[in-house]
Amino acid sequence: MAKVLMKGNEAVGAAAIEAGCRYFFGYPITPQSELPEYMARELPKVGGVFLQAESEIAAINMVYGAAGAGARVMTSSSSPGISLKQEGISYIAGAELPCLIVNMMRGGPGLGSIQPSQTDYFQATRGGGNGDYRVVVLAPSNVQELVDLIIEGFDIADQYRNPVMILGDGMIGQMMEPVEFKKPKQRELPPKDDWITNGTKGKRKPHIINSLYLAPEELEAHNIKLQEKYRKIRENEVKVESYNIEDADVVIAAYGTTARIVKTAISQLEREGYKVGLIRPITLWPYPYDEFKKINPQCKGILTVEMNTGQMLDDVKIAVEGRFPVYFHGRTGGMVPTPNEIIEKVKRIHGGEM
Amino acid sequence: MLLDDKRIRIIVGHYGSGKTEFSVNYAVKLRQLKNKVALVDLDVVNLYFRSREKAEELEKLGIRVIASSLRGSGVDIPAVSAEVYAPIQDESYDAVLDVGGDPAGARTLGMYSQYFTEGDYDMFFVLNANRPETQTVEKAIEYLKRIEDTARVKVTGIVNNTHMLKSTTCEDVLKGQVLAEKLSEKLSIPIKYVVALENVAKDLPPNLNGEVFPIKLFMREEWMV
């Protein structure tokens, strides 16, 4: 298929349908409403179901039900709506069901604003709901990568029976960019027949999907099993893009839209003779901690750039293990950092002024 | 020639076709030819990348920018200012109306439709053949008709704005021109402009159906593709 021009939110819908998703349950919220609108228009054409739920909480529980029946299913929202879904996400993780959740982040806390932000990093990577669980978090930085990660995200969810979250921001959702739809690398996906609740037909015992274990021994065993799964995900699914880190005097860590702005800043700095590297985590959980071990030992410092007041900053500090000073530049409230702000900070780190 | 167009120019089309970029460029060029120019942002559908975001820059160029009476680009309320009537009623103005995408966006226009009598206005349908929803002549006709029905205003000209953002080539524009010509022929609506980035426009073949309209990108940040 030739390249077409699509808005991020539309591209999510098209990619999900391409990946075989036939069920969408959601509730509109700016800046991702084009996605439910797209699904409402397109899913019936392929024999799927779009349902606008009465609330985000209802929507995520419909996802729980559809995933339990073995369907490829998705929901989407933006920050305050994702907060409402947290209870359901915890249940889905506990019951080990595959699904895709899209968060096009906007400014917070509370209702915040409709402009782009990255303020839900903690919520996404640390678990916004209760319990010792993890969600695979994928952070695209352009619309093409958004499409690719949506398609692969469904496979990751099925492979590990775990929710996968696409953590975008309003800018990615609203931005128009060229995309093409490519087949992802083939994964061995386990069959679903031995656990889905699709009717016994009188031939087998009922499958039970549940996150309640009243016996502490059983719940501990369940948690140990979950942790073993998370260990495998950490081992197999880390994705990161890095640039020139073995040689850099300053390394910038940034993801999503912010990484785009950082790349523009790096090109300008290179023209002025500075050696600047980039670590762009594509999976925010599992986090690419090991990538930071490859950084030039003479590096003067790591600059974390985010559209928040410092959240991924914690993971960068964990990854750096005190080997380099870690600095931060962030804009928040819907403000988007400019290349010039970043250039300025890098020069100050380089000059030992910070 | 921009001066051959009617005093009120209404810009409609599928969302993502590039209406706002065309509208802003049109207003800037028009201001170089006329003293009283207003750009009216009627987009209440999409809240990102609207012409009002560039109000300050445009006002410096002497263009009156009218949008919501509620200031701020992040106001998520479908409010339009009463000021919109000013350039529509005041005949000393040349006006560019940047309408929201799709039939949904064109609905806002319906409330002013009584002012648009045949021969007194132009309504340009912006077409981008790289958008999946308007890649065939049938789909383009469907969009155009639905927009006309919702707005209760008829399209008077087609604008071929087929692009791939900053990586647009002559081939993109010419592919769109084929579609625009088919659309033009089917509906008997002339192609008014062929839009292209300045560095692409200079390489376009001569004698295209429609006037070549070179543009600068006002709405894309430096870091965007």
Side-chain angles (χ1 to χ4, degrees), chain B:
Chain B
M1 266 299 281
L2 276 69
L3 294 177
D4 296 336
D5 296 336
K6 300 286 186 263
R7 186 181 69 81
I8 296 173
R9 293 89 164 162
I10 306 163
I11 318 298
V12 296
H14 179 33
Y15 80 65
S17 56
K19 295 174 301 298
T20 294
E21 205 68 78
F22 177 70
S23 302
V24 170
N25 273 277
Y26 191 104
V28 170
K29 279 187 212 282
L30 189 59
R31 180 62 187 82
Q32 290 159 5
L33 304 166
K34 295 283 240 173
N35 277 330
K36 282 178 87 173
V37 172
L39 175 62
V40 181
D41 177 353
L42 282 178
D43 192 348
V44 294
V45 177
N46 184 9
L47 304 152
Y48 279 58
F49 304 113
R50 292 189 291 190
S51 47
R52 69 190 66 173
E53 286 176 20
K54 301 293 160 194
E56 206 178 313
E57 204 175 327
L58 295 170
E59 274 156 12
K60 271 187 200 148
L61 297 173
I63 297 163
R64 180 174 176 188
V65 179
I66 301 168
S68 176
S69 46
L70 304 164
R71 280 276 163 185
S73 60
V75 182
D76 198 357
I77 294 168
V80 196
S81 171
E83 213 185 330
V84 171
Y85 286 105
I88 293 177
Q89 292 176 340
D90 180 349
E91 293 185 5
S92 66
Y93 267 101
D94 274 74
V96 180
L97 275 57
D98 178 12
V99 183
D102 288 2
R107 181 154 299 164
T108 324
L109 201 56
M111 71 189 274
Y112 309 104
S113 61
Q114 56 177 310
Y115 291 95
F116 310 134
T117 46
E118 210 182 316
D120 276 355
Y121 74 93
D122 267 313
M123 181 154 100
F124 298 140
F125 178 74
V126 178
L127 177 69
N128 181 352
N130 281 332
R131 289 281 292 147
E133 290 304 306
T134 52
Q135 282 191 314
T136 65
V137 69
E138 292 75 26
K139 280 177 155 184
I141 290 174
E142 190 194 322
Y143 260 95
L144 188 149
K145 290 284 177 201
R146 281 171 53 212
I147 288 171
E148 282 185 333
D149 290 348
T150 315
R152 285 171 273 147
V153 188
K154 293 283 180 202
V155 171
T156 62
I158 294 164
V159 173
N160 171 20
N161 187 38
T162 301
H163 67 86
M164 207 46 110
L165 300 161
K166 292 175 187 169
S167 51
T168 306
T169 60
C170 281
E171 288 71 48
D172 286 310
V173 180
L174 296 175
K175 178 178 90 178
Q177 190 68 4
V178 173
L179 181 69
E181 277 171 4
K182 282 186 198 157
L183 183 66
S184 168
E185 193 188 314
K186 285 245 181 193
L187 300 178
S188 303
I189 299 172
I191 300 174
K192 279 291 179 75
Y193 295 105
V194 181
V195 181
L197 288 172
E198 284 169 347
N199 62 336
V200 176
K202 66 177 170 42
D203 296 330
L204 285 174
N207 308 322
L208 283 175
N209 187 352
E211 183 181 329
V212 173
F213 191 97
I215 60 161
K216 284 187 176 57
L217 292 180
F218 283 84
M219 307 304 295
R220 303 289 290 186
E221 301 289 338
E222 180 192 1
W223 53 268
M224 294 181 184
V225 294

